[in-house]
Amino acid sequence: MRKYIVLCALIGSSFLSAQSIWKADVACSNLNFTISHLLFSKVAGSFANFDIEATANDDFDNPSFTASIETTSINTDNNNRDKDLRDKDYFDTTTYPNMTFKSTSYKRTGDKTFVLGGDLTIKGTTKQVEFQGKLNDIITDPKSQKLKARLEFSGTIDRKDFNVGSSIIPMGDEVDITINLEMVQQ
């Protein structure tokens, strides 16, 4: 019996040690969105400051993600619009300086594709969302000798679910999100 317990402990510890922390390289990653403006054109934007971390093995299989995005770092290449988006009617960045994401599910849909589900919190409201994901590649960086994973995510959320903007503002409800990540194993 004692040998069985020791064997289980060794197997469990080797599995746990196979999991690593991966962090987004912000200089090589981006968080982008588009939304319709005046209901016929699209406005694109991004968030410049974020912290994204994942726990995964060397093959980046079955990852678990957490993310914190600074709402004040929104950029649509229009200073007046960015100022409005930081105001109370939109992101209310004074009260809610960050939006967060914590993954709750992972489902493989193909060799390198998956669906990542999780809790997205914007302006104090948390909703379940899903992102289509793709693991493009894993390489060993020749300079740092660390593993790097390149991933893509896409999804759509309804801004009204998170109390962003009002119904009288001439903009679409659906926000298309695309995220390109370079994750570095720590």
Side-chain angles (χ1 to χ4, degrees), residues 58-122:
D58 289 354
D59 295 326
F60 216 86
D61 189 36
N62 198 22
S64 173
F65 284 87
T66 59
S68 179
I69 299 106
E70 290 181 23
T71 55
T72 56
S73 72
I74 196 166
N75 181 7
T76 64
D77 290 329
N78 181 305
N79 289 335
N80 289 332
R81 180 172 42 230
D82 293 345
K83 183 180 175 190
D84 287 344
L85 290 171
R86 291 181 186 106
D87 200 15
K88 288 181 186 179
D89 289 336
Y90 294 93
F91 285 103
D92 192 2
T93 61
T94 302
T95 306
Y96 303 102
N98 295 294
M99 60 179 132
T100 61
F101 175 81
K102 181 175 173 62
S103 66
T104 58
S105 65
Y106 170 90
K107 181 182 177 188
R108 187 181 287 255
T109 56
D111 185 38
K112 293 191 176 244
T113 58
F114 56 91
V115 175
L116 186 71
D119 294 328
L120 177 63
T121 303
I122 302 174

